[in-house]
C-alpha cells in the first residue's frame, strides 16, 4: 500500500493546453439547442475556460487535501496484479461502518467528494452513525491500472473491490453504488454476501421485466419511471450501444480529442442530472480525471463491451441468483428510469426504500445530504441494517 | 447555372491536418482484441503514419480532378433556401447516354462513382451496350456541397435537391442508382417523381418490412442467412446508427477535432462492410480525406440519420412502394438481405442479379459487376420487357423510350 497524491506531470498539462489551443469545432444547426447533443456555445465556453482560466493544479491540490488517497496491488484471478487507486477516510469518531462506494461511467472516485465528509464527520448528531469510507477507482478508471486482457467483467470488478476491502482489514462491510456501481455491488452481494457484504444500497435500480406483468397495477410514478426508461432506450442510449460494441473505434476519438471527450461526458452530466447547476470548473475537473486517467479515456468504455459479452448488460432480464443480502434503495426522480415495486424481487431483498422529489443520476454529487441521510437512516440505530457489520455499528463502543 | 469545380484544398488546411496528425495521441488496446472491440491499433498507427508522411493529397486531388469533371450549382430547397451543390457530371462518349443519377450514402461520397463512371460512359465497345450520362451528387452536408443550416433537412429534402439537380442539367427524365442512404433517397425520388421524371431505379440495398402473410418457413437458405446477418448487424454493428440518429452533435465534436478519430470511425466500416476488399492505405486515406476536408465538416454528414429518425421516415416505417420499374443487385456481404417474398414492399422489381462476391460499397468493390447489371437492366436485352412496362405511360415517356432505342441504334 502506498499513499497517493494526484500529480499530473507538467508535460501532460502543456500537451492538453496545446491541444485545446488548436481545437477545431463543428458547426451547429440553428435552434438545435440540446436536441442533437451538447450545444456548441456550451462546448466553446468550456473549452475556452479549460484553455485559459481553469487551474488544474489548484483543483488537484484541493482534491489531495480533501481526499486521502492510496494505491495498492490487488491480484485478480486470470488478470494478474492491478494497481488500484482509492480514497480511504476513516470516521472521525467511534467505530465507522466500513462503506465501499462504487462509481460508474462517466463517474469516478470524485463522486465521493461531497459524501465523504458527511459520512465520516465526527461533529454531527451523535444519534447518526458514522462510516469509514473507501471509494475505489474501478480498474480502467481514474488512477487505477486497467486490465490488459479481454473479459474483465462484473465478476472481476466485484473481486477487486472485495479484495480491496479485505486488504484494508474490513472483513465485513457495506456498499453504496450507482450506475455500473449498482451492478457491481449487486455482484459483490451475490458473491460475498452474508459473510462479507452485509448490506448494499443503490440509487440505480434496474432489472426485469419479470415473466408475468400486470401493468394496470403500476402507480403513476412507476409508469412514469418505465416511460423514462423507454425514452432512454429510444433516444438516450446511443453512447451505450457504441461503447458496448465498438469501444476501441470510439476510443481513438476520446484519446485524441479533449474537446471530443468533454462533449461526450458533459452531455451526460447535464442530461442525467436534475437541473444541477454545474460550474464550468466542476465540469472540467470531472472531465480532466478522464483525460488524465492512468489508463486513458478509451479504457473506461470497455466495461460496456465486457458486460454485454458476458450477457450481463442492461437488457438482461433475469438473474440466476438474486442476492439475499439486505438491500436499500434511494429513488431520485431524474434517474434514467425506474422499475415497479412488482419487479423488486429481481433485484434483491429490499429492506429500505426512500423517495425523493429532486435529484438525478449522480446522486452523491447532486444531493449528497439526501443520499447520506438515507444511508444514516438505513444503518442508524433504528434502521433496518443497524449493526450488520460486527463490531462496527457506526457509534462509539 | 453550373460552375466548373476543381477540388483545391488550401495549403493552410493541409498543414493544419499534418500538424494535427503529428500530435496524435493513441489509446492502448487489450491483448488479442483483434477487430472485436473496433479498429485494431496496428492498423490505425500504420494509417496515421502514412497520412502524416507519404500520403500525397495533392496527387490524389489532381487525379480526382482529372478523372471526374466536377461542378457546383445553387439549388433552391423549399424552406431551406439555396444550397450550393457539388456534383460530378460526365456525359457518355457516344450518342446521348441514359441520364443516370448516382446517389451515395454514409460513409460514402461522390468518390464512389470514380470506378463506374468510365465504364458507364464509355460502354463496352459493343454497340448493343447502353451508355450513360452520369451525375454523381455530393448530398448536402457531404463532400463539397453546402450543408443545410436549419433543422429538418430529411429524406424529402434530399429527394428534392437531387431531382432538381437533374432537371437543372436538362434531364427531365432520368434513372437512378443508389446504395446505403442513397438507396433511401432514390426510393424517395422514385416515389415522388416516378413516372414523369424518374423512369426506373436500381439499388444494391433492399429494405422492407415483411408482408402481412409472411411465411418464414418458405425462406431459402441464403435468405435466412441474410436475415441472420441483419440481426447480427443490429446486435453488434449498429451502434454508430443509434448514435448518429440521436446525438450527432455530441459525436461531431470528436470527428471535427480529431482526424484520427474520424479515420477510425470511417475505416471500421470500410473494412467490416466490404467483402475482403484489399484496401490500400492511400485509398482509405483519400476516402477519409474527403470527409476531413468536406465543405461542411465531418459532423454535418451524420445529421442525416437524426433527421430521418425524427421525420417519421425511419427504417421500418410503412410507406407505399414506388411503382416505377426497379432493379436490384445483390452482393453477399451487404448488410441486409431480405427474402424475395418481401419485395413487393420495396417496389416493382423487374431486374435482379445476384453475385457471389462484393459487399456494401458495390460501386467501389465490384464496379464491373454493378455496371454490368445496369447495362443489362437498361440495355436492349431488357427493352422488350421495358416496352410493355412503358406502354401504359404518356406519349412523352413513350417518345423518350423510343428515343433511347434510336440513340442506341444510331451509334
Amino acid at each position: 500500500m502506498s499513499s497517493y497524491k494526484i500529480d499530473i506531470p507538467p508535460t501532460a498539462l502543456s500537451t492538453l493546453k496545446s491541444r485545446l489551443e488548436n481545437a477545431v469545432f463543428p458547426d451547429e444547426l440553428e435552434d438545435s439547442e440540446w436536441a442533437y447533443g451538447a450545444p456548441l456555445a456550451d462546448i466553446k465556453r468550456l473549452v475556452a475556460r479549460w484553455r485559459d482560466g481553469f487551474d488544474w493544479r489548484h483543483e488537484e491540490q484541493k482534491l489531495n487535501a480533501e481526499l486521502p488517497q492510496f494505491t495498492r496491488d490487488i491480484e485478480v484471478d486470470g488478470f494478474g496484479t492491478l494497481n488500484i487507486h482509492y480514497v480511504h477516510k476513516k470516521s472521525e469518531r467511534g467505530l465507522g461502518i466500513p462503506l465501499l462506494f462504487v462509481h460508474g461511467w462517466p463517474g469516478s472516485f470524485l463522486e465521493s467528494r461531497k459524501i465523504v465528509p458527511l459520512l465520516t464527520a465526527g461533529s454531527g448528531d451523535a444519534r447518526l452513525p458514522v462510516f469509514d469510507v473507501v471509494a475505489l477507482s474501478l480498474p480502467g478508471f481514474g488512477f487505477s491500472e486497467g486490465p490488459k486482457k479481454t473479459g474483465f467483467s462484473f465478476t472481476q470488478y466485484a473481486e477487486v473491490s472485495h479484495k480491496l476491502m479485505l486488504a484494508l482489514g474490513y472483513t465485513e462491510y457495506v456498499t453504496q453504488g450507482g450506475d455500473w456501481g449498482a451492478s457491481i455491488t449487486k455482484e459483490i452481494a451475490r458473491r460475498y454476501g452474508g459473510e462479507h457484504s452485509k448490506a448494499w444500497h443503490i440509487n440505480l435500480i434496474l432489472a426485469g421485466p419479470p415473466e408475468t406483468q400486470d401493468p394496470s397495477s403500476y402507480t403513476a410514478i412507476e409508469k412514469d419511471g418505465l416511460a423514462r426508461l423507454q425514452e432512454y432506450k429510444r433516444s438516450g442510449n446511443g453512447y451505450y450501444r457504441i461503447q458496448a460494441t465498438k469501444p476501441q473505434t470510439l476510443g481513438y476519438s476520446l484519446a485524441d480529442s479533449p474537446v471530443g471527450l468533454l462533449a461526450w461526458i458533459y452531455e451526460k452530466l447535464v442530461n442525467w442530472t436534475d437541473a444541477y447547476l454545474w460550474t464550468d470548473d466542476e465540469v472540467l475537473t470531472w472531465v480532466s480525471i478522464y483525460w488524465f486517467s492512468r489508463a486513458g479515456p478509451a479504457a473506461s468504455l470497455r466495461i460496456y463491451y465486457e458486460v454485454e459479452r458476458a450477457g450481463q448488460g442492461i437488457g438482461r432480464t433475469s438473474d440466476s441468483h438474486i442476492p439475499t443480502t439486505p438491500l436499500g434503495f434511494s429513488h431520485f426522480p431524474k434517474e434514467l428510469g425506474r422499475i415497479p415495486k412488482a419487479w423488486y424481487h429481481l433485484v434483491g431483498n429490499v429492506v429500505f426504500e426512500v423517495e425523493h422529489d429532486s435529484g438525478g443520476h449522480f446522486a452523491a454529487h447532486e444531493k449528497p445530504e439526501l443520499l447520506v441521510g438515507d444511508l444514516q437512516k438505513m444503518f442508524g440505530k433504528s434502521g433496518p441494517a443497524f449493526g450488520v457489520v460486527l463490531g462496527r455499528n457506526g457509534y462509539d463502543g | 447555372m453550373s460552375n466548373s469545380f476543381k477540388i483545391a484544398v488550401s495549403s493552410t488546411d493541409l498543414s493544419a491536418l499534418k500538424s494535427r496528425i503529428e500530435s496524435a495521441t493513441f489509446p492502448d488496446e487489450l491483448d488479442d482484441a483483434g477487430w472485436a472491440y473496433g479498429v485494431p491499433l496496428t492498423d490505425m498507427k500504420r494509417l496515421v503514419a502514412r497520412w502524416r508522411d507519404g500520403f500525397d493529397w495533392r496527387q490524389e486531388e489532381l487525379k480526382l480532378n482529372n478523372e471526374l469533371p466536377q461542378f457546383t450549382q445553387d439549388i433552391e430547397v423549399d424552406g431551406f433556401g439555396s444550397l450550393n451543390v457539388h456534383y460530378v457530371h460526365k456525359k457518355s462518349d457516344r450518342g446521348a447516354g441514359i441520364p443516370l443519377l448516382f446517389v451515395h450514402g454514409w460513409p460514402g461520397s461522390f468518390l464512389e462513382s470514380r470506378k463506374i463512371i468510365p465504364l458507364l460512359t464509355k460502354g463496352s465497345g459493343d454497340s448493343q451496350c447502353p451508355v450513360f450520362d452520369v451525375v454523381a451528387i455530393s448530398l448536402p452536408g457531404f463532400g463539397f456541397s453546402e450543408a443545410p443550416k436549419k433543422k429538418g433537412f430529411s429524406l424529402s429534402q434530399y429527394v428534392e435537391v437531387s431531382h432538381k439537380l437533374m432537371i437543372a442539367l436538362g434531364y427531365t427524365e432520368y434513372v437512378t442508382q443508389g446504395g446505403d442512404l442513397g438507396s433511401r433517397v432514390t426510393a424517395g425520388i422514385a416515389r415522388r417523381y416516378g413516372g414523369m421524371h424518374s423512369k426506373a431505379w436500381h439499388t444494391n440495398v433492399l429494405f422492407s418490412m415483411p408482408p402481412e402473410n409472411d411465411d418464414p418457413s418458405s425462406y431459402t437458405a441464403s435468405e435466412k442467412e441474410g436475415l441472420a446477418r441483419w440481426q447480427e448487424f443490429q446486435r453488434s454493428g449498429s451502434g454508430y446508427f443509434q448514435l448518429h440518429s440521436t446525438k450527432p452533435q455530441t459525436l461531431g465534436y470528436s470527428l471535427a477535432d480529431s482526424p484520427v478519430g474520424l479515420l477510425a470511425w470511417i475505416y471500421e466500416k470500410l473494412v467490416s462492410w466490404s467483402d475482403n476488399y484489399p484496401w490500400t492505405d492511400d485509398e482509405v486515406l483519400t476516402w477519409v480525406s474527403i470527409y476531413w476536408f468536406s465543405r461542411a465538416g465531418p459532423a454535418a454528414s451524420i445529421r442525416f440519420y437524426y433527421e430521418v429518425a425524427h421525420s417519421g421516415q425511419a427504417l421500418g416505417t410503412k410507406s407505399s412502394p414506388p411503382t416505377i420499374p426497379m432493379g436490384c443487385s445483390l452482393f453477399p456481404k451487404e448488410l441486409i438481405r431480405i427474402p424475395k417474398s418481401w419485395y413487393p414492399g420495396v417496389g416493382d422489381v423487374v431486374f435482379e442479379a445476384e453475385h457471389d462476391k462484393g459487399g456494401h460499397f458495390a460501386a467501389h468493390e465490384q464496379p464491373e459487376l454493378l455496371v454490368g447489371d445496369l447495362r443489362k437492366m437498361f440495355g436492349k436485352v431488357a427493352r422488350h420487357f421495358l416496352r410493355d412496362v412503358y406502354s401504359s405511360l404518356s406519349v412523352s415517356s413513350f417518345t423518350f423510350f423510343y428515343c433511347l432505342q434510336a440513340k442506341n441504334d444510331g451509334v
Side-chain angles (χ1 to χ4, degrees):
Chain A
M1 181 209 89
S2 305
S3 187
Y4 182 87
K5 290 232 181 278
I6 308 168
D7 185 19
I8 303 303
T11 44
L13 288 178
S14 54
T15 299
L16 171 60
K17 190 171 165 89
S18 165
R19 267 312 216 331
L20 295 170
E21 275 161 359
N22 294 308
V24 176
F25 293 96
D27 70 345
E28 186 182 56
L29 294 177
E30 291 165 11
D31 305 315
S32 49
E33 291 180 359
W34 277 87
Y36 293 68
L40 186 57
D42 287 40
I43 299 302
K44 281 188 160 171
R45 188 192 72 243
L46 284 160
V47 170
R49 176 69 183 170
W50 206 359
R51 193 185 64 226
D52 308 299
F54 176 71
D55 186 348
W56 168 259
R57 282 288 175 233
H58 181 68
E59 297 303 326
E60 194 179 70
Q61 265 157 33
K62 284 199 293 183
L63 277 171
N64 289 335
E66 289 169 38
L67 300 172
Q69 299 159 67
F70 307 86
T71 56
R72 69 168 62 218
D73 289 338
I74 306 279
E75 184 81 22
V76 181
D77 291 346
F79 289 85
T81 298
L82 293 176
N83 190 251
I84 302 300
H85 163 257
Y86 58 98
V87 174
H88 184 199
K89 186 143 191 206
K90 297 190 178 184
S91 59
E92 289 172 3
R93 63 167 160 82
L95 300 159
I97 305 165
L99 175 96
L100 174 69
F101 174 81
V102 186
H103 69 83
W105 187 94
S108 69
F109 72 92
L110 192 67
E111 287 178 270
S112 70
R113 182 180 205 168
K114 298 184 190 184
I115 61 172
V116 164
L118 299 172
L119 289 165
T120 58
S123 58
D125 186 341
R127 291 171 299 177
L128 298 174
V130 290
F131 299 79
D132 281 10
V133 182
V134 179
L136 93 159
S137 286
L138 291 171
F141 291 76
F143 304 107
S144 286
E145 233 185 315
K148 300 285 175 283
K149 294 185 188 171
T150 63
F152 199 99
S153 188
F154 286 155
T155 303
Q156 288 71 34
Y157 286 108
E159 182 185 336
V160 78
S161 304
H162 167 69
K163 282 179 169 172
L164 175 61
M165 292 306 271
L166 291 186
L168 292 175
Y170 300 127
T171 44
E172 292 183 351
Y173 54 83
V174 301
T175 64
Q176 202 293 320
D179 196 81
W180 285 126
S183 314
I184 291 166
T185 52
K186 182 176 188 179
E187 192 64 20
I188 291 171
R190 189 185 283 120
R191 282 175 186 271
Y192 312 109
E195 198 177 337
H196 301 285
S197 168
K198 307 300 288 184
W200 55 305
H201 176 281
I202 57 178
N203 46 296
L204 176 65
I205 301 107
L206 292 178
E211 296 267 323
T212 53
Q213 286 188 64
D214 178 20
S216 64
S217 69
Y218 301 158
T219 66
I221 287 181
E222 290 173 343
K223 281 179 185 159
D224 176 70
L226 281 174
R228 289 173 55 73
L229 209 49
Q230 283 302 95
E231 182 54 28
Y232 163 79
K233 285 180 185 169
R234 194 192 68 80
S235 73
N237 78 342
Y239 79 100
Y240 188 107
R241 295 284 300 277
I242 195 74
Q243 290 172 200
T245 55
K246 308 287 178 201
Q248 189 70 12
T249 298
L250 174 65
Y252 293 104
S253 287
L254 302 187
D256 190 52
S257 171
V259 178
L261 177 69
L262 167 65
W264 198 253
I265 292 177
Y266 175 66
E267 189 217 278
K268 303 313 182 201
L269 297 186
V270 173
N271 283 344
W272 293 357
T273 51
D274 186 7
Y276 180 75
L277 298 170
W278 294 96
T279 65
D280 287 354
D281 285 4
E282 210 174 350
V283 171
L284 295 172
T285 303
W286 193 292
V287 177
S288 292
I289 299 286
Y290 272 82
W291 183 256
F292 294 131
S293 61
R294 186 164 173 182
S300 69
L301 313 176
R302 291 168 192 151
I303 184 173
Y304 290 81
Y305 181 98
E306 301 298 3
V307 162
E308 283 292 325
R309 195 174 76 156
Q312 297 165 325
I314 208 166
R316 189 184 193 188
T317 55
S318 70
D319 290 325
S320 52
H321 165 40
I322 315 290
T324 54
T325 311
L327 166 62
F329 284 168
S330 289
H331 297 289
F332 293 92
K334 288 292 186 283
E335 183 52 271
L336 302 179
R338 178 205 180 115
I339 58 173
K341 242 190 176 59
W343 303 9
Y344 284 4
H345 63 281
L346 295 175
V347 190
N349 171 25
V350 183
V351 304
F352 176 84
E353 191 177 7
V354 180
E355 289 284 345
H356 294 290
D357 57 16
S358 64
H361 185 75
F362 298 103
H365 192 79
E366 297 178 65
K367 301 289 174 186
E369 292 90 2
L370 292 182
L371 186 66
V372 170
D374 292 352
L375 292 169
Q376 289 166 337
K377 276 198 208 79
M378 180 174 169
F379 292 101
K381 278 202 164 118
S382 42
F386 172 65
V388 287
V389 172
L390 191 66
R392 289 184 151 275
N393 63 12
Y395 298 90
D396 295 333
Chain B
M1 205 215 87
S2 78
N3 294 311
S4 190
F5 177 87
K6 289 227 181 280
I7 308 168
V9 172
S10 74
S11 34
T12 326
D13 285 350
L14 277 178
S15 54
L17 172 60
K18 189 172 164 88
S19 165
R20 215 43 197 76
I21 297 173
E22 272 161 3
S23 61
T25 304
F26 291 93
D28 70 347
E29 188 182 54
L30 295 176
D31 296 343
D32 305 314
W35 274 86
Y37 293 68
V39 183
L41 188 57
T42 40
D43 284 45
M44 286 303 296
K45 285 189 160 170
R46 189 194 71 243
L47 283 161
V48 170
R50 177 68 184 171
W51 208 357
R52 192 185 61 229
D53 306 301
F55 175 70
D56 186 347
W57 169 258
R58 283 285 177 237
Q59 203 197 45
E60 297 303 326
E61 193 179 70
L62 199 64
K63 284 197 288 183
L64 277 171
N65 289 335
N66 285 340
E67 288 170 39
L68 302 173
Q70 300 159 64
F71 306 86
T72 57
Q73 68 173 288
D74 291 337
I75 307 278
E76 186 78 22
V77 181
D78 291 346
F80 289 84
S82 179
L83 291 177
N84 191 251
V85 177
H86 163 257
Y87 58 98
V88 178
H89 183 198
K90 186 139 192 207
K91 297 192 176 182
S92 59
D93 277 15
R94 55 177 166 83
I98 303 167
L100 177 107
L101 172 69
F102 174 81
V103 187
H104 68 82
W106 187 93
S109 70
F110 71 94
L111 193 67
E112 287 177 272
S113 69
R114 183 179 204 169
K115 299 184 190 183
I116 59 172
I117 280 182
L119 299 170
L120 288 167
T121 55
K122 283 189 179 61
S124 65
D126 177 351
S127 63
Q128 300 282 320
C129 166
V131 288
F132 299 80
D133 281 11
V134 182
V135 178
I137 183 177
S138 281
L139 293 171
F142 292 77
F144 303 105
S145 286
E146 232 185 317
K149 300 279 176 288
K150 295 186 187 172
K151 302 180 290 190
F153 196 100
S154 188
L155 274 176
S156 305
Q157 286 70 34
Y158 284 103
V159 165
E160 182 185 337
V161 75
S162 302
H163 167 72
K164 282 180 170 175
L165 175 61
M166 293 305 272
I167 300 297
L169 292 174
Y171 299 126
T172 47
E173 293 175 336
Y174 55 84
V175 299
T176 65
Q177 202 294 322
D180 195 79
L181 293 171
S183 173
R184 304 214 61 204
V185 175
T186 51
I189 292 171
R191 206 175 273 121
R192 192 184 318 164
Y193 302 109
M196 187 140 175
H197 299 288
S198 176
K199 310 304 289 185
W201 64 300
H202 176 283
T203 183
N204 41 301
V205 177
L206 292 173
F207 186 82
S208 168
M209 296 301 280
E212 294 274 323
N213 306 315
D214 191 39
D215 176 22
S217 67
S218 69
Y219 299 161
T220 66
S222 57
E223 286 174 348
K224 281 179 187 156
E225 198 265 341
L227 281 176
R229 294 189 58 250
W230 173 243
Q231 256 150 38
E232 180 53 28
F233 169 77
Q234 289 185 300
R235 191 193 70 80
S236 71
S238 66
Y240 79 99
F241 189 103
Q242 183 67 5
L243 188 58
H244 290 185
S245 301
T246 55
K247 308 286 181 207
Q249 188 70 12
T250 298
L251 175 65
Y253 294 103
S254 288
L255 302 184
D257 190 51
S258 172
V260 177
L262 177 69
L263 169 63
W265 201 252
I266 292 176
Y267 176 65
E268 189 214 279
K269 303 312 181 199
L270 297 186
V271 173
S272 56
W273 291 358
S274 57
D275 187 9
N276 291 309
Y277 180 77
W279 294 96
T280 65
D281 287 353
D282 285 5
E283 211 174 349
V284 171
L285 295 171
T286 302
W287 194 291
V288 177
S289 293
I290 299 285
Y291 272 83
W292 183 258
F293 294 129
S294 61
R295 186 162 173 183
S301 68
I302 59 180
R303 289 173 192 145
F304 195 155
Y305 292 82
Y306 181 99
E307 302 297 3
V308 169
H310 290 78
S311 58
Q313 296 165 326
L315 266 184
T317 310
K318 273 212 181 306
S319 59
S320 50
T323 54
I324 58 171
M326 175 187 181
C328 61
S329 296
L330 305 176
F331 293 92
K333 288 292 185 283
E334 182 52 83
L335 302 177
I336 177 176
R337 185 214 179 97
I338 57 173
K340 261 194 176 39
S341 56
W342 299 17
Y343 283 12
V346 193
D348 180 22
V349 180
V350 305
F351 173 88
E352 186 181 357
E354 191 163 347
H355 300 287
D356 59 13
K357 56 184 175 175
H360 187 74
F361 301 103
H364 192 79
E365 297 178 59
Q366 301 294 338
E368 286 92 1
L369 292 182
L370 185 67
V371 169
D373 290 351
L374 292 171
R375 287 169 176 166
K376 282 199 204 77
M377 180 176 170
F378 295 106
K380 289 187 175 182
V381 170
R383 181 181 305 147
H384 191 77
F385 176 75
L386 286 174
R387 180 184 301 162
D388 294 336
V389 171
Y390 281 112
S391 64
S392 61
L393 295 176
S394 68
V395 171
S396 60
S397 8
F398 212 45
T399 308
F400 164 77
F401 180 74
Y402 278 113
C403 279
L404 268 185
Q405 289 185 66
K407 281 162 191 171
N408 281 319
D409 286 341
V411 161

